[in-house]
């Protein structure tokens, strides 16, 4: 049986972990528009496990920065010398939170995310795009994401400037199984068909090159930059034709006309 933490109407956070060798297990944690996080793991914590909890309802964008996200679980560090380490998030159900289910802010080390059911995350607008993320991480290494169930999210795992693995998860109604920084050391090993798209994201004055393992060609096209190629799990390569149609067969004729009929009577029309 679970214990109830009803944090509705209490501004901010329901549970804050500021110690090491801590386990939070078997709670139902409810939030609302006054809450930005169900569980917070603060910097310098070590050996923390959050497991077998039901977390939902956090709808307040993070008031400490300009992020539109709230979080079922939030862990973050301050620097490479002050960051939470050896974290396990397992067998939790997280849903109906604003923008993200689990978020690892800058600087977290050795994180395992396994056996969770993360679903129905409420979309927000972020950097000009509509976004809902099951798992968000930035500057996390190593991270293991396995055996989770992601459903009704735009991106299941969004791992930026991180290293680790994503394997043996299940997905339903997901746009991207994994979005990561281009050429980062993330092993993606899933038994699904995927379409790998490349894009650039402009954020805080920076341009970040991304790779997205999309769940369909349509989802890949929606994020792929023009002039790039989409590759597939079947080793196919899909590019735009001269009209801009992905996978199309239109060609420029001798006169430089896309889809034209070529030279007529020896001259260009």
């Amino acid at each position: 049986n679970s214990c109830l933490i009803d944090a509705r109407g209490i501004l901010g956070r329901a549970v804050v972990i500021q110690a090491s060798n801590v386990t939070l297990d078997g709670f139902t944690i409810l939030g609302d528009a006054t809450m930005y996080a169900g569980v917070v793991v603060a910097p310098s914590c070590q050996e923390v496990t959050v497991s077998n909890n039901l977390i939902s309802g956090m709808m307040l964008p993070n008031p400490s920065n300009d992020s539109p996200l709230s979080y079922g679980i939030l862990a973050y560090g301050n620097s490479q010398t002050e960051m939470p380490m050896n974290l396990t998030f397992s067998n939790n159900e997280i849903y109906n939170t604003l923008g993200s289910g689990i978020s690892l802010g800058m600087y977290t080390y050795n994180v395992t995310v396994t056996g969770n059911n993360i679903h129905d995350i409420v979309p927000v607008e972020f950097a000009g795009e509509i976004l809902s993320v099951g798992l968000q991480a930035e500057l996390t290494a190593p991270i293991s994401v396995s055996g989770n169930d992601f459903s009704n999210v735009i991106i299941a795992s969004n791992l930026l400037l991180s290293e680790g693995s994503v394997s043996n998860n299940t997905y339903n109604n997901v746009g991207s199984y994994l979005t990561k920084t281009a050429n980062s050391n993330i092993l993606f090993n899933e038994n699904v068909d995927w379409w790998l798209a490349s894009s650039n994201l402009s954020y805080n004055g920076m341009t970040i090159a991304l790779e997205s393992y999309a769940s369909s060609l349509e989802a890949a096209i929606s994020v792929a930059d023009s002039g790039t190629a989409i590759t597939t799990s079947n080793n196919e390569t899909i590019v735009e034709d001269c009209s801009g149609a992905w996978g199309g067969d239109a060609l420029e004729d001798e006169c430089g006309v896309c889809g034209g009929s070529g030279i007529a009577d020896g001259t260009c029309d």
Side-chain angles (χ1 to χ4, degrees):
N1 295 326
S2 66
C3 297
L4 174 64
I5 299 177
D6 189 345
R8 291 173 290 187
I10 301 174
L11 184 63
R13 308 161 295 180
V15 177
V16 180
I17 298 173
Q18 295 179 305
S20 295
N21 300 301
V22 172
T23 297
L24 180 71
D25 186 284
F27 289 85
T28 295
I29 303 173
L30 302 179
D32 59 11
T34 69
M35 302 293 300
Y36 72 87
V39 178
V40 176
V41 181
S44 299
C45 294
Q46 298 186 32
E47 309 296 340
V48 172
T49 297
V50 179
S51 60
N52 301 305
N53 302 287
L54 188 153
I55 305 170
S56 70
M58 292 72 200
M59 288 290 167
L60 177 68
N62 191 339
S64 66
N65 55 40
D66 59 359
S67 169
L69 306 178
S70 66
Y71 322 95
I73 300 172
L74 170 65
Y76 67 95
N78 291 327
S79 68
Q80 291 182 344
T81 59
E82 187 183 7
M83 58 182 174
M85 304 172 64
N86 305 328
L87 311 179
T88 300
F89 304 130
S90 62
N91 302 312
N92 302 286
E93 181 177 3
I94 301 172
Y95 66 96
N96 194 34
T97 56
L98 191 65
S100 70
I102 297 175
S103 181
L104 308 176
M106 287 187 177
Y107 305 115
T108 52
Y109 178 79
N110 195 26
V111 180
T112 299
V113 181
T114 186
N116 301 282
N117 180 10
I118 303 175
H119 62 95
D120 296 288
I121 303 301
V122 178
V124 298
E125 183 176 343
F126 181 78
E129 303 290 339
I130 300 301
L131 179 69
S132 67
V133 180
L135 169 65
Q136 167 84 20
E138 184 175 353
L139 291 171
T140 298
I143 182 170
S144 173
V145 184
S146 66
N148 302 283
D149 186 358
F150 296 100
S151 59
N152 300 326
V153 295
I154 295 173
I155 302 175
S157 295
N158 192 40
L159 309 181
L160 305 181
L161 301 172
S162 299
E163 297 182 357
S165 63
V166 176
S167 62
N168 299 315
N169 301 282
T170 58
Y171 303 91
N172 180 46
N173 194 28
V174 168
S176 172
Y177 304 124
L178 168 66
T179 297
K180 67 183 186 74
T181 309
N183 302 314
S184 60
N185 188 20
I186 299 288
L187 174 64
F188 180 72
N189 185 20
E190 298 284 29
N191 186 27
V192 293
D193 293 328
W194 49 258
W195 289 256
L196 181 61
S198 299
S199 60
N200 287 298
L201 172 69
S202 295
Y203 179 63
N204 281 347
M206 300 182 297
T207 299
I208 304 172
L210 301 176
E211 296 174 336
S212 298
Y213 288 87
S215 62
S216 67
L217 176 58
E218 291 75 16
I221 290 172
S222 72
V223 298
D225 283 351
S226 181
T228 63
I230 296 172
T231 57
T232 78
S233 50
N234 294 322
N235 295 317
E236 297 176 301
T237 299
I238 302 168
V239 297
E240 297 168 288
D241 67 11
C242 62
S243 72
W246 289 91
D249 56 7
L251 299 173
E252 286 190 359
D253 65 11
E254 299 93 330
C255 302
V257 177
C258 181
S261 57
I263 298 175
D265 299 325
T267 60
C268 292
D269 295 333

